[in-house]
Amino acid sequence: MGELFQKIKTYLDISGETYEAPDYIKNNLKHDFWLWQKNAMQYFEIFEKKKERFVENPNEPTHLMFNMATGTGKTMMMAALILYYYKKGYRHFIFFVNQNNIVDKTENNFINKLHTKYEFRQNIVIDDKIINIRKVETFDNADDVQIKFTSIHKLHNAVYLAKENSVTLEELQKRDLVMIGD
């Protein structure tokens, strides 16, 4: 291992122990993590637990990026993060991309249980409760995972060109949101 990596591990207080993702994540994903996904999840959880050491104001929104090549399982990482943030109390997610065709493909991965690349198990169970994942255009107060799938352009237009049955900037500012970009 490189010297920089060793310094980072020491700074983060990462022990040599093998990391295991929490059961509520492992038990609800269709596939097991690959080593690099497991490492990414471990570092993400450490960052979340020790955020005050890394950011000036830990109450400010967190901005993170997983720099992973095509085919390395970014979508599964996003599914794991949805489960993680659901457990933390978040219900409202915006998934945005720069092209509409990517929106449709990814939507199937998160919503369509019959799709071959669906990321979750058939029943998602957290704290003995079945969790539903729904595609939405506007958010409500249900206890489901609610995901608005959109492109950056459509999100911009929806927020700044208000129209009926569309998400507004005012509505978004009232909600605790997780924004996931691909």
Side-chain angles (χ1 to χ4, degrees), residues 5 18-19 21 31-45 65-78 80-81:
F5 182 71
T18 303
Y19 169 78
H31 303 287
D32 294 333
F33 282 129
W34 289 325
L35 177 61
W36 53 88
Q37 292 168 312
K38 196 183 266 193
N39 290 343
M41 196 69 207
Q42 177 184 18
Y43 299 144
F44 167 77
E45 285 190 57
M65 182 174 97
F66 291 89
N67 188 11
M68 299 168 72
T70 300
T72 58
K74 286 186 302 291
T75 307
M76 190 167 117
M77 286 299 303
M78 291 180 238
L81 293 175

Side-chain angles (χ1 to χ4, degrees), residues 80-91:
L81 293 175
I82 288 170
L83 296 171
Y84 175 88
Y85 280 114
Y86 181 89
K87 178 79 169 167
K88 294 287 183 194
Y90 291 87
R91 302 298 183 259

Side-chain angles (χ1 to χ4, degrees), residues 113-171:
K113 291 182 178 187
L114 301 176
H115 192 268
T116 57
K117 292 189 176 181
Y118 182 66
E119 293 292 338
F120 303 100
R121 301 236 172 154
Q122 285 299 308
N123 289 317
I124 300 168
V125 179
I126 297 177
D127 296 332
D128 298 321
K129 180 180 171 205
I130 293 179
I131 307 303
N132 296 308
I133 298 180
R134 293 188 294 129
K135 173 186 173 182
V136 299
E137 290 305 315
T138 58
F139 298 111
D140 60 39
N141 293 324
D143 198 34
D144 301 330
V145 170
Q146 300 171 46
I147 307 175
K148 177 173 180 58
F149 294 93
T150 188
S151 67
I152 295 168
H153 180 74
K154 283 183 180 177
L155 181 60
H156 177 272
N157 286 345
V159 167
Y160 291 104
L161 304 173
K163 56 185 170 181
E164 191 173 348
N165 295 325
S166 180
V167 67
T168 65
L169 181 59
E170 183 178 85
E171 177 191 352

Side-chain angles (χ1 to χ4, degrees), residues 37-104:
Q37 292 168 312
K38 196 183 266 193
N39 290 343
M41 196 69 207
Q42 177 184 18
Y43 299 144
F44 167 77
E45 285 190 57
I46 290 167
F47 176 83
E48 282 293 301
K49 289 176 186 165
K50 299 182 178 191
K51 198 181 326 191
E52 62 277 353
R53 287 175 63 183
F54 300 109
V55 293
E56 196 172 304
N57 182 354
N59 295 323
E60 288 292 315
T62 301
H63 302 266
L64 296 172
M65 182 174 97
F66 291 89
N67 188 11
M68 299 168 72
T70 300
T72 58
K74 286 186 302 291
T75 307
M76 190 167 117
M77 286 299 303
M78 291 180 238
L81 293 175
I82 288 170
L83 296 171
Y84 175 88
Y85 280 114
Y86 181 89
K87 178 79 169 167
K88 294 287 183 194
Y90 291 87
R91 302 298 183 259
H92 307 112
F93 298 80
I94 296 178
F95 182 92
F96 62 94
V97 296
N98 65 342
Q99 296 176 351
N100 289 333
N101 62 332
I102 298 172
V103 172
D104 298 335

